[in-house]
Amino acid sequence: MTQAQANSASSGSSGSSGATGASGSRSTGGLGRLIGVGLLLAGVVLLALGAYLGPYTYATSTPGKLTVETCTVDYKHRSTSSSSSRKRTKTKWCYGTFTATDGSVKDLNAELRSDSLHQRGEVIDALKTGETSYQQDSGWVGSIALGCAWWFGALIPLALGLLCTTTGFAFGGASDFNRARQAVAPRLLSTVYTLLAVGAIGVVLSLLVMFFA
């Protein structure tokens, strides 16, 4: 009689534990799929930004020359993770007269962010991208490389979003990843790995092209 009661109690405890584990798994899966949807949306936004900031901006800008009057360095301080640590960043700006190549625009008070400090009288290839905004002209190669950097970067959240929505992976550590890896088809997991690798390598190569363009 005592043994039967013990077996019954053990069975009830095991059933309760299993139900709790199943409930926790469903909760984690729901959160993971929600995270996955957010990552997929972020990837789509990055793709759109790449198209807008890269080829579209270049195609709709007015090319011309900026004759430098002066250049300055803008220093900014920002706090890091440690409240007592502050990091200083510097941005180079050049000011002067912008003249469009076709003569349609002449702005005596143009300013743009520069990659170096130029001497007075130097001429910089520039683009008029807005009513009062300008940027250095790196050509079609640079603009496409910029777009590619965003596009390749978008592959990373897209790949992670695909994994999360498919398996419920919620970045819960090694155990969560092992569970997701067992739940996903091998071919899909290989696709995720490939997208992550292509995205990371593509971003690095695109940035190198932008630097040397």
Side-chain angles (χ1 to χ4, degrees):
M1 181 70 176
T2 303
Q3 183 177 0
Q5 290 177 344
N7 289 338
S8 176
S10 176
S11 176
S13 176
S14 176
S16 176
S17 176
T20 302
S23 176
S25 178
R26 287 194 296 270
S27 177
T28 302
L31 175 61
R33 289 179 175 83
L34 183 62
I35 293 174
V37 171
L39 288 170
L40 291 175
L41 291 176
V44 172
V45 170
L46 291 179
L47 290 173
L49 281 174
Y52 177 77
L53 297 176
Y56 177 81
T57 296
Y58 187 85
T60 56
S61 298
T62 302
K65 305 286 186 181
L66 178 75
T67 304
V68 176
E69 287 292 331
T70 184
C71 289
T72 61
V73 179
D74 182 20
Y75 292 96
K76 289 185 178 180
H77 296 268
R78 63 183 182 87
S79 299
T80 59
S81 55
S82 173
S83 59
S84 60
S85 176
R86 294 173 63 85
K87 183 177 180 180
R88 187 177 73 169
T89 59
K90 60 180 181 179
T91 305
K92 302 179 183 68
W93 295 91
C94 287
Y95 309 87
T97 301
F98 173 83
T99 304
T101 302
D102 59 6
S104 60
V105 178
K106 186 171 184 178
D107 185 354
L108 301 179
N109 299 303
E111 64 177 54
L112 57 78
R113 186 173 179 173
S114 176
D115 55 5
S116 60
L117 296 176
H118 297 272
Q119 299 297 320
R120 182 175 183 178
E122 287 189 53
V123 177
I124 305 174
D125 291 327
L127 294 172
K128 181 178 173 63
T129 58
E131 189 66 28
T132 59
S133 58
Y134 300 86
Q135 68 180 41
Q136 285 192 266
D137 185 359
S138 56
W140 272 109
V141 173
S143 65
I144 292 176
L146 175 61
C148 286
W150 285 91
W151 294 331
F152 280 118
L155 293 181
I156 296 174
L158 287 176
L160 293 176
L162 180 62
L163 178 65
C164 292
T165 54
T166 304
T167 66
F169 175 60
F171 301 93
S175 60
D176 189 22
F177 178 74
N178 289 332
R179 179 194 59 78
R181 187 173 58 181
Q182 293 172 359
V184 71
R187 183 174 297 180
L188 181 58
L189 187 61
S190 298
T191 300
V192 170
Y193 284 148
T194 300
L195 289 175
L196 290 174
V198 171
I201 295 172
V203 168
V204 172
L205 292 178
S206 299
L207 292 177
L208 287 175
V209 172
M210 289 173 55
F211 180 78
F212 291 107

